[in-house]
Amino acid sequence: NAGVMQNPRHLVRRRGQEARLRCSPMKGHSHVYWYRQLPEEGLKFMVYLQKENIIDESGMPKERFSAEFPKEGPSILRIQQVVRGDSAAYFCASSPLEGGLRSYNEQFFGPGTRLTVL
Amino acid sequence: RKEVEQDPGPFNVPEGATVAFNCTYSNSASQSFFWYRQDCRKEPKLLMSVYSSGNEDGRFTAQLNRASQYISLLIRDSKLSDSATYLCVVNRAGNNRKLIWGLGTSLAVNP
């Protein structure tokens, strides 16, 4: 059973370009979560999605950032017009739909995408 | 007050030592509790869920005190490979899937 997959692992963009980060959840998992981690800082929640629905985007910056989880294909975190402050590690996690209170809240992480904005 | 608070450390201990980490959370409605570990520049990995009655997994023991809104992690017989940052995590409330993450406690196990 493959784990959570993210690509690319490393992404370099110049200021003003767009960054697209992809996440494929674990097989059988229905929910996807995106987090951002700045160097030497903690994990910050951004958004969580179920297929075709955004459930909670309270951690997403109001502008330039968007996320989707289409019916087919991976979840995408899109950052438009990147700035140097967007440089960070972006982690995706997934969890199952059901399984009791504990198990569906357990989140399993992908290896992350390290975004560098020049 | 932060929703989840941990002592950042660092904790420096010799191999074989026993070390304990504590964590407090502010929302009494939280129902799911976890410890994750994160190695430098890697993704967080689930170490163990924390149950009301306390639970043990090998050298690791987790305890939950709902009255005091306090979670602990005990590591016995520390190994060099235990060196990492340990993250205390709780859910927002009830069945809410959104997890609130502590900033982590750094552990260095020395030979």
Side-chain angles (χ1 to χ4, degrees), chain B residues 63-93:
Chain B
Q63 297 280 349
L64 168 64
N65 183 322
R66 285 188 187 270
S68 302
Q69 293 178 207
Y70 168 98
I71 306 161
S72 66
L73 177 69
L74 184 77
I75 306 175
R76 289 181 299 278
D77 189 23
S78 301
K79 312 289 185 193
L80 295 176
S81 57
D82 293 333
S83 298
T85 297
Y86 289 83
L87 303 166
C88 174
V89 188
V90 309
N91 79 319
R92 174 56 62 76

mmCIF file of all heavy atoms in Angstrom, chain B residues 63-93:
data_model
loop_
_atom_site.group_PDB
_atom_site.id
_atom_site.type_symbol
_atom_site.label_atom_id
_atom_site.label_comp_id
_atom_site.label_asym_id
_atom_site.label_seq_id
_atom_site.Cartn_x
_atom_site.Cartn_y
_atom_site.Cartn_z
ATOM 1 N N GLN B 63 0.292 9.205 28.199
ATOM 2 C CA GLN B 63 -0.747 9.376 29.211
ATOM 3 C C GLN B 63 -1.577 10.600 28.864
ATOM 4 O O GLN B 63 -1.063 11.578 28.319
ATOM 5 C CB GLN B 63 -0.128 9.590 30.597
ATOM 6 C CG GLN B 63 0.683 8.426 31.125
ATOM 7 C CD GLN B 63 -0.183 7.334 31.712
ATOM 8 O OE1 GLN B 63 -1.379 7.530 31.912
ATOM 9 N NE2 GLN B 63 0.396 6.179 31.974
ATOM 10 N N LEU B 64 -2.856 10.529 29.215
ATOM 11 C CA LEU B 64 -3.771 11.647 29.010
ATOM 12 C C LEU B 64 -4.454 11.965 30.324
ATOM 13 O O LEU B 64 -4.978 11.062 30.985
ATOM 14 C CB LEU B 64 -4.813 11.278 27.952
ATOM 15 C CG LEU B 64 -6.021 12.205 27.783
ATOM 16 C CD1 LEU B 64 -5.588 13.581 27.295
ATOM 17 C CD2 LEU B 64 -7.036 11.582 26.830
ATOM 18 N N ASN B 65 -4.472 13.222 30.695
ATOM 19 C CA ASN B 65 -5.196 13.671 31.881
ATOM 20 C C ASN B 65 -6.193 14.722 31.408
ATOM 21 O O ASN B 65 -5.844 15.885 31.193
ATOM 22 C CB ASN B 65 -4.218 14.264 32.909
ATOM 23 C CG ASN B 65 -4.912 14.677 34.195
ATOM 24 O OD1 ASN B 65 -6.037 15.184 34.178
ATOM 25 N ND2 ASN B 65 -4.252 14.453 35.321
ATOM 26 N N ARG B 66 -7.443 14.302 31.237
ATOM 27 C CA ARG B 66 -8.459 15.222 30.695
ATOM 28 C C ARG B 66 -8.771 16.347 31.677
ATOM 29 O O ARG B 66 -9.016 17.471 31.268
ATOM 30 C CB ARG B 66 -9.735 14.461 30.369
ATOM 31 C CG ARG B 66 -9.658 13.618 29.119
ATOM 32 C CD ARG B 66 -11.030 13.067 28.763
ATOM 33 N NE ARG B 66 -10.975 12.130 27.660
ATOM 34 C CZ ARG B 66 -11.088 12.492 26.392
ATOM 35 N NH1 ARG B 66 -11.243 13.763 26.080
ATOM 36 N NH2 ARG B 66 -11.045 11.581 25.443
ATOM 37 N N ALA B 67 -8.772 16.031 32.957
ATOM 38 C CA ALA B 67 -9.130 17.051 33.960
ATOM 39 C C ALA B 67 -8.135 18.214 33.908
ATOM 40 O O ALA B 67 -8.521 19.378 34.015
ATOM 41 C CB ALA B 67 -9.167 16.427 35.342
ATOM 42 N N SER B 68 -6.864 17.885 33.745
ATOM 43 C CA SER B 68 -5.833 18.917 33.701
ATOM 44 C C SER B 68 -5.491 19.342 32.276
ATOM 45 O O SER B 68 -4.650 20.226 32.083
ATOM 46 C CB SER B 68 -4.554 18.418 34.388
ATOM 47 O OG SER B 68 -4.821 18.060 35.724
ATOM 48 N N GLN B 69 -6.091 18.667 31.293
ATOM 49 C CA GLN B 69 -5.838 18.966 29.867
ATOM 50 C C GLN B 69 -4.352 18.889 29.588
ATOM 51 O O GLN B 69 -3.718 19.838 29.099
ATOM 52 C CB GLN B 69 -6.453 20.330 29.497
ATOM 53 C CG GLN B 69 -7.963 20.287 29.570
ATOM 54 C CD GLN B 69 -8.641 21.603 29.264
ATOM 55 O OE1 GLN B 69 -9.744 21.860 29.731
ATOM 56 N NE2 GLN B 69 -8.033 22.460 28.476
ATOM 57 N N TYR B 70 -3.830 17.704 29.820
ATOM 58 C CA TYR B 70 -2.400 17.473 29.857
ATOM 59 C C TYR B 70 -2.119 16.117 29.228
ATOM 60 O O TYR B 70 -2.822 15.141 29.492
ATOM 61 C CB TYR B 70 -2.024 17.517 31.338
ATOM 62 C CG TYR B 70 -0.680 17.059 31.730
ATOM 63 C CD1 TYR B 70 0.348 17.954 31.934
ATOM 64 C CD2 TYR B 70 -0.434 15.709 31.982
ATOM 65 C CE1 TYR B 70 1.585 17.519 32.363
ATOM 66 C CE2 TYR B 70 0.800 15.265 32.401
ATOM 67 C CZ TYR B 70 1.808 16.175 32.600
ATOM 68 O OH TYR B 70 3.024 15.759 33.013
ATOM 69 N N ILE B 71 -1.082 16.079 28.377
ATOM 70 C CA ILE B 71 -0.674 14.834 27.723
ATOM 71 C C ILE B 71 0.815 14.658 27.976
ATOM 72 O O ILE B 71 1.558 15.648 27.999
ATOM 73 C CB ILE B 71 -0.911 14.923 26.200
ATOM 74 C CG1 ILE B 71 -2.344 15.316 25.883
ATOM 75 C CG2 ILE B 71 -0.572 13.620 25.509
ATOM 76 C CD1 ILE B 71 -2.494 15.856 24.470
ATOM 77 N N SER B 72 1.233 13.431 28.145
ATOM 78 C CA SER B 72 2.660 13.196 28.356
ATOM 79 C C SER B 72 3.149 12.062 27.471
ATOM 80 O O SER B 72 2.364 11.210 27.015
ATOM 81 C CB SER B 72 2.937 12.880 29.822
ATOM 82 O OG SER B 72 2.331 11.655 30.178
ATOM 83 N N LEU B 73 4.439 12.063 27.242
ATOM 84 C CA LEU B 73 5.112 10.985 26.513
ATOM 85 C C LEU B 73 6.372 10.625 27.284
ATOM 86 O O LEU B 73 7.182 11.504 27.594
ATOM 87 C CB LEU B 73 5.476 11.425 25.093
ATOM 88 C CG LEU B 73 6.250 10.394 24.265
ATOM 89 C CD1 LEU B 73 5.364 9.201 23.914
ATOM 90 C CD2 LEU B 73 6.801 11.027 22.980
ATOM 91 N N LEU B 74 6.502 9.350 27.594
ATOM 92 C CA LEU B 74 7.670 8.860 28.310
ATOM 93 C C LEU B 74 8.453 7.939 27.383
ATOM 94 O O LEU B 74 7.878 7.039 26.774
ATOM 95 C CB LEU B 74 7.239 8.088 29.563
ATOM 96 C CG LEU B 74 8.347 7.577 30.478
ATOM 97 C CD1 LEU B 74 8.896 8.728 31.300
ATOM 98 C CD2 LEU B 74 7.829 6.479 31.402
ATOM 99 N N ILE B 75 9.742 8.177 27.272
ATOM 100 C CA ILE B 75 10.609 7.311 26.464
ATOM 101 C C ILE B 75 11.610 6.668 27.409
ATOM 102 O O ILE B 75 12.380 7.366 28.090
ATOM 103 C CB ILE B 75 11.363 8.093 25.370
ATOM 104 C CG1 ILE B 75 10.379 8.883 24.506
ATOM 105 C CG2 ILE B 75 12.191 7.146 24.512
ATOM 106 C CD1 ILE B 75 11.060 9.786 23.468
ATOM 107 N N ARG B 76 11.591 5.343 27.445
ATOM 108 C CA ARG B 76 12.539 4.609 28.300
ATOM 109 C C ARG B 76 13.703 4.114 27.455
ATOM 110 O O ARG B 76 13.564 3.884 26.253
ATOM 111 C CB ARG B 76 11.846 3.413 28.956
ATOM 112 C CG ARG B 76 10.836 3.786 30.024
ATOM 113 C CD ARG B 76 10.213 2.513 30.626
ATOM 114 N NE ARG B 76 9.508 1.734 29.616
ATOM 115 C CZ ARG B 76 8.281 2.000 29.218
ATOM 116 N NH1 ARG B 76 7.618 3.007 29.728
ATOM 117 N NH2 ARG B 76 7.705 1.247 28.294
ATOM 118 N N ASP B 77 14.856 3.923 28.112
ATOM 119 C CA ASP B 77 16.024 3.338 27.447
ATOM 120 C C ASP B 77 16.293 4.047 26.108
ATOM 121 O O ASP B 77 16.310 3.411 25.040
ATOM 122 C CB ASP B 77 15.793 1.834 27.227
ATOM 123 C CG ASP B 77 17.028 1.121 26.736
ATOM 124 O OD1 ASP B 77 18.150 1.626 26.952
ATOM 125 O OD2 ASP B 77 16.883 0.049 26.103
ATOM 126 N N SER B 78 16.511 5.328 26.157
ATOM 127 C CA SER B 78 16.669 6.147 24.951
ATOM 128 C C SER B 78 17.755 5.605 24.029
ATOM 129 O O SER B 78 18.822 5.171 24.477
ATOM 130 C CB SER B 78 17.032 7.585 25.335
ATOM 131 O OG SER B 78 16.060 8.155 26.145
ATOM 132 N N LYS B 79 17.460 5.658 22.736
ATOM 133 C CA LYS B 79 18.415 5.263 21.707
ATOM 134 C C LYS B 79 18.857 6.510 20.936
ATOM 135 O O LYS B 79 18.125 7.504 20.888
ATOM 136 C CB LYS B 79 17.772 4.281 20.710
ATOM 137 C CG LYS B 79 17.022 3.130 21.331
ATOM 138 C CD LYS B 79 17.938 2.142 21.979
ATOM 139 C CE LYS B 79 17.159 0.942 22.492
ATOM 140 N NZ LYS B 79 17.986 0.116 23.404
ATOM 141 N N LEU B 80 20.003 6.403 20.296
ATOM 142 C CA LEU B 80 20.466 7.520 19.464
ATOM 143 C C LEU B 80 19.418 7.871 18.408
ATOM 144 O O LEU B 80 19.205 9.050 18.089
ATOM 145 C CB LEU B 80 21.789 7.174 18.776
ATOM 146 C CG LEU B 80 22.998 6.949 19.679
ATOM 147 C CD1 LEU B 80 24.209 6.526 18.860
ATOM 148 C CD2 LEU B 80 23.315 8.189 20.497
ATOM 149 N N SER B 81 18.741 6.850 17.902
ATOM 150 C CA SER B 81 17.756 7.055 16.838
ATOM 151 C C SER B 81 16.482 7.751 17.332
ATOM 152 O O SER B 81 15.628 8.113 16.522
ATOM 153 C CB SER B 81 17.382 5.719 16.210
ATOM 154 O OG SER B 81 16.886 4.835 17.187
ATOM 155 N N ASP B 82 16.363 7.935 18.639
ATOM 156 C CA ASP B 82 15.200 8.669 19.162
ATOM 157 C C ASP B 82 15.376 10.175 19.012
ATOM 158 O O ASP B 82 14.440 10.940 19.245
ATOM 159 C CB ASP B 82 14.976 8.347 20.646
ATOM 160 C CG ASP B 82 14.556 6.902 20.885
ATOM 161 O OD1 ASP B 82 13.960 6.291 19.969
ATOM 162 O OD2 ASP B 82 14.824 6.388 21.989
ATOM 163 N N SER B 83 16.560 10.614 18.662
ATOM 164 C CA SER B 83 16.816 12.049 18.486
ATOM 165 C C SER B 83 15.917 12.583 17.382
ATOM 166 O O SER B 83 15.966 12.114 16.241
ATOM 167 C CB SER B 83 18.286 12.292 18.125
ATOM 168 O OG SER B 83 19.143 11.863 19.149
ATOM 169 N N ALA B 84 15.090 13.550 17.749
ATOM 170 C CA ALA B 84 14.099 14.096 16.811
ATOM 171 C C ALA B 84 13.341 15.195 17.540
ATOM 172 O O ALA B 84 13.600 15.487 18.705
ATOM 173 C CB ALA B 84 13.120 13.004 16.356
ATOM 174 N N THR B 85 12.381 15.778 16.847
ATOM 175 C CA THR B 85 11.442 16.704 17.485
ATOM 176 C C THR B 85 10.125 15.972 17.677
ATOM 177 O O THR B 85 9.624 15.327 16.752
ATOM 178 C CB THR B 85 11.232 17.958 16.614
ATOM 179 O OG1 THR B 85 12.469 18.650 16.504
ATOM 180 C CG2 THR B 85 10.186 18.880 17.240
ATOM 181 N N TYR B 86 9.558 16.057 18.874
ATOM 182 C CA TYR B 86 8.327 15.346 19.215
ATOM 183 C C TYR B 86 7.184 16.355 19.275
ATOM 184 O O TYR B 86 7.244 17.334 20.016
ATOM 185 C CB TYR B 86 8.499 14.587 20.533
ATOM 186 C CG TYR B 86 9.435 13.415 20.337
ATOM 187 C CD1 TYR B 86 10.812 13.598 20.381
ATOM 188 C CD2 TYR B 86 8.936 12.149 20.050
ATOM 189 C CE1 TYR B 86 11.682 12.541 20.133
ATOM 190 C CE2 TYR B 86 9.793 11.083 19.803
ATOM 191 C CZ TYR B 86 11.158 11.298 19.850
ATOM 192 O OH TYR B 86 12.015 10.249 19.592
ATOM 193 N N LEU B 87 6.164 16.082 18.485
ATOM 194 C CA LEU B 87 5.059 17.012 18.304
ATOM 195 C C LEU B 87 3.816 16.493 19.007
ATOM 196 O O LEU B 87 3.385 15.360 18.772
ATOM 197 C CB LEU B 87 4.763 17.189 16.810
ATOM 198 C CG LEU B 87 5.937 17.679 15.959
ATOM 199 C CD1 LEU B 87 5.646 17.504 14.477
ATOM 200 C CD2 LEU B 87 6.221 19.135 16.258
ATOM 201 N N CYS B 88 3.250 17.328 19.835
ATOM 202 C CA CYS B 88 1.983 17.020 20.509
ATOM 203 C C CYS B 88 0.859 17.564 19.633
ATOM 204 O O CYS B 88 0.922 18.717 19.179
ATOM 205 C CB CYS B 88 1.991 17.697 21.873
ATOM 206 S SG CYS B 88 0.443 17.577 22.791
ATOM 207 N N VAL B 89 -0.161 16.753 19.385
ATOM 208 C CA VAL B 89 -1.212 17.113 18.431
ATOM 209 C C VAL B 89 -2.574 16.769 19.024
ATOM 210 O O VAL B 89 -2.758 15.659 19.536
ATOM 211 C CB VAL B 89 -1.022 16.353 17.101
ATOM 212 C CG1 VAL B 89 -1.986 16.874 16.040
ATOM 213 C CG2 VAL B 89 0.417 16.454 16.612
ATOM 214 N N VAL B 90 -3.524 17.689 18.915
ATOM 215 C CA VAL B 90 -4.887 17.413 19.365
ATOM 216 C C VAL B 90 -5.855 17.873 18.280
ATOM 217 O O VAL B 90 -5.516 18.758 17.478
ATOM 218 C CB VAL B 90 -5.217 18.113 20.703
ATOM 219 C CG1 VAL B 90 -4.162 17.822 21.747
ATOM 220 C CG2 VAL B 90 -5.372 19.598 20.521
ATOM 221 N N ASN B 91 -7.042 17.303 18.289
ATOM 222 C CA ASN B 91 -8.019 17.808 17.326
ATOM 223 C C ASN B 91 -8.758 18.996 17.928
ATOM 224 O O ASN B 91 -8.746 19.195 19.148
ATOM 225 C CB ASN B 91 -8.980 16.719 16.836
ATOM 226 C CG ASN B 91 -10.081 16.421 17.828
ATOM 227 O OD1 ASN B 91 -9.828 16.369 19.038
ATOM 228 N ND2 ASN B 91 -11.278 16.220 17.346
ATOM 229 N N ARG B 92 -9.369 19.777 17.071
ATOM 230 C CA ARG B 92 -9.977 21.037 17.523
ATOM 231 C C ARG B 92 -11.078 20.758 18.536
ATOM 232 O O ARG B 92 -11.130 21.346 19.610
ATOM 233 C CB ARG B 92 -10.486 21.806 16.315
ATOM 234 C CG ARG B 92 -11.269 23.064 16.581
ATOM 235 C CD ARG B 92 -10.548 24.093 17.434
ATOM 236 N NE ARG B 92 -9.335 24.646 16.909
ATOM 237 C CZ ARG B 92 -9.240 25.560 15.947
ATOM 238 N NH1 ARG B 92 -10.296 25.964 15.325
ATOM 239 N NH2 ARG B 92 -8.066 26.041 15.605
ATOM 240 N N ALA B 93 -11.977 19.858 18.205
ATOM 241 C CA ALA B 93 -13.089 19.546 19.115
ATOM 242 C C ALA B 93 -13.898 18.397 18.557
ATOM 243 O O ALA B 93 -14.027 18.271 17.343
ATOM 244 C CB ALA B 93 -14.010 20.760 19.270
#
